[in-house]
Amino acid sequence: NTVMAAQMTNAHRRFLQVLMSNGITEGSEARKLHQHCCETDKVYYAHDKLDDFISTINSHLQPLFMQIRKGISEDDGRAHYAVVNLAETEVTKMASDYTEMELELFRKTMDLIILSENGFASSTDILNLADQLKTKKMKKKEAEQVLKVFVEDKWLSEKNGEYTLHTRCIIEMEQYILSNYQDVARKCNICHSLAIQSQVCESCGIGMHLPCVRKYFRGQTEPRCPKCNEFWSCDTP
Amino acid sequence: QVSELVQFLLVKDQKKIPIKRADMLKNVIREYRDAYSEIVNRAGKTLQEVFGLQLVEIDSKRHTYILINNLPRVEGKYLCRDEEKEKMGLLLIILSFIFMKGNSVKDSALWEFLHLLRVYPGKQHQVFGDVRKLVTEEFVRQKYLEITPIPLTDPQEFKYQWGPRSEKEISKKDVLNAVAKIQGKDPTFWSSQYSEAEA
């Protein structure tokens, strides 16, 4: 096995710059970008070598406590990539973009989402929180606007008036959430990553991502819990 | 410290706000003041090597820095987000105008020109919003444009020039070539701009 010195080329740098400015990049977009960068900077391109390409970049990001991380969307099971800061002990990436008050609203919304049964917080509940902020009371109209910005910036995603964490947020803050919400945050029984939206076994309480449930129970007429073997009570997606 | 400084610079630069040495010292370097130049040097090398970004001092008196993109510029949809792309489009039009007019234009001339493109300082633009704010505040703060008052003018007039970030990031040659293409002429048609662009 020949080990080649993994050098950064302009193609790698360009890829990294775009990933950083995108915030989050979907799998097929990342593959197109990989091709585009290699062609632009005249670097050898092989369509199935995206992982190696990213590893090269990651080996150079490691001493900076940064990493290109792959995460799976809880909605459609598709892979997404984001550049994360491994040394983050709090929501520092957001700190430069929002006021103290907005950050507090976000943290409290995150509490609601993680503590909830289904990984969603209703807009009514969040707006009620706005009233009780320690930094400064936020009016409902203002909070609605802030929520809109959080969605635009891909920290939250909204469905039918309810909010959950965007895939980008989950990829970037997984470590933070797992350490700060140790007792409450659920891990998927199948893939062992953080699960914000999940289906839960009524008997033994284990949780699984919806896409993971879909894959695991594919073709089974009588889905049973992988841990306690009881019938799986939720509708399999 | 080097990795902390690199992250600090990346975050600050995300907003395109110039970074002051004082901020770097206070927030990142702190007690390692003596090693300041060494740390900054290494951070600069890392930014270049890993990100293709160059740390450039744009004001040697006040010690302010910006990060410029050192990768060869290329057309295409991957450069930046749509909103950014549109702002850049407007900026390039303004910079071209200034360059072709001899590197300095009066504010009245610039706004007259933008008028022709249906961009009005008073009205909210569909894409750019408050254009006056974008041009006179955001572009200036990001060091893309420099606006200086013209002395002895009443009412006060201003002159618009390329800012230090534009000087470093944008190639005059590319600007001239683009203008030449649009006008269907050879770049050498504008002899003074051509010699400046080739320099």
Side-chain angles (χ1 to χ4, degrees), chain A residues 8 10 13-14 16-18 20-21 29 32-33 36 40-41 60-61 63-66 85 96-97, chain B residues 3 6-7 10-11 14-15 46 48-53 69 71-75 78-81:
Chain A
M8 289 283 289
N10 274 345
R13 295 180 189 113
R14 196 181 296 277
L16 177 57
Q17 278 192 23
V18 176
M20 283 173 65
S21 81
E29 279 302 309
K32 273 193 232 150
L33 180 63
H36 168 86
T40 305
D41 295 296
H60 285 81
L61 286 178
L64 303 172
F65 303 104
M66 292 168 71
N85 181 341
S96 55
D97 289 332
Chain B
S3 56
V6 168
Q7 295 222 14
L10 285 172
V11 170
Q14 204 187 20
K15 310 287 180 41
T46 305
Q48 176 57 59
E49 176 62 26
V50 182
F51 299 91
L53 298 171
N69 192 343
L71 297 177
R73 285 272 162 182
V74 79
E75 300 235 333
Y78 294 109
L79 268 188
C80 39
R81 291 200 325 256

Side-chain angles (χ1 to χ4, degrees), chain B residues 3-199:
Chain B
S3 56
E4 242 186 276
L5 182 59
V6 168
Q7 295 222 14
F8 179 77
L9 292 170
L10 285 172
V11 170
K12 282 277 168 178
D13 189 70
Q14 204 187 20
K15 310 287 180 41
K16 297 230 176 76
I17 300 172
I19 308 139
K20 299 198 206 91
R21 181 172 77 170
D23 287 338
M24 286 197 261
L25 284 168
K26 186 172 84 161
N27 290 308
V28 183
I29 302 191
R30 298 182 300 256
E31 57 271 25
Y32 301 92
R33 289 183 94 92
D34 295 336
Y36 171 77
S37 10
E38 174 69 25
I39 297 174
V40 171
N41 247 330
R42 286 212 232 156
K45 285 211 178 78
T46 305
L47 285 165
Q48 176 57 59
E49 176 62 26
V50 182
F51 299 91
L53 298 171
Q54 194 183 357
L55 182 63
V56 176
E57 188 172 33
I58 52 167
D59 187 335
S60 45
K61 238 192 328 178
R62 275 168 256 171
H63 300 291
T64 37
Y65 297 82
I66 56 173
L67 290 183
I68 62 161
N69 192 343
N70 227 3
L71 297 177
R73 285 272 162 182
V74 79
E75 300 235 333
K77 34 183 251 174
Y78 294 109
L79 268 188
C80 39
R81 291 200 325 256
D82 283 336
E83 193 197 302
E84 285 301 305
K85 230 192 307 182
E86 283 152 353
K87 284 188 188 166
M88 280 297 118
L90 178 64
L91 175 67
L92 281 173
I93 290 173
I94 296 174
L95 291 176
S96 305
F97 181 69
I98 297 174
F99 175 54
M100 298 309 286
K101 289 283 176 194
N103 292 319
S104 176
V105 299
K106 271 209 273 197
D107 53 355
S108 47
L110 177 66
W111 290 107
E112 227 174 82
F113 170 67
L114 290 178
H115 230 255
L116 297 172
L117 303 172
R118 308 248 186 105
V119 176
Y120 308 106
K123 271 166 79 168
Q124 279 279 55
H125 189 269
Q126 203 181 12
V127 175
F128 304 117
D130 186 340
V131 183
R132 180 174 281 282
K133 196 166 177 205
L134 174 62
V135 174
T136 61
E137 288 180 30
E138 194 173 324
F139 285 159
V140 172
R141 187 180 59 228
Q142 296 173 343
K143 304 292 178 182
Y144 279 118
L145 285 179
E146 205 165 80
I147 301 181
T148 33
I150 302 175
L152 305 174
T153 50
D154 182 32
Q156 181 72 72
E157 287 175 4
F158 297 87
K159 69 173 180 209
Y160 286 57
Q161 294 166 300
W162 282 39
R165 190 189 288 274
S166 300
E167 294 281 350
K168 290 254 157 28
E169 281 190 4
I170 295 163
S171 137
K172 292 201 158 134
K173 194 167 175 183
D174 288 346
V175 169
L176 182 59
N177 285 338
V179 172
K181 199 165 168 195
I182 293 170
Q183 299 219 15
K185 297 195 170 79
D186 193 86
T188 50
F189 179 77
W190 297 273
S191 46
S192 86
Q193 278 85 351
Y194 184 74
S195 32
E196 195 184 332
E198 291 293 310

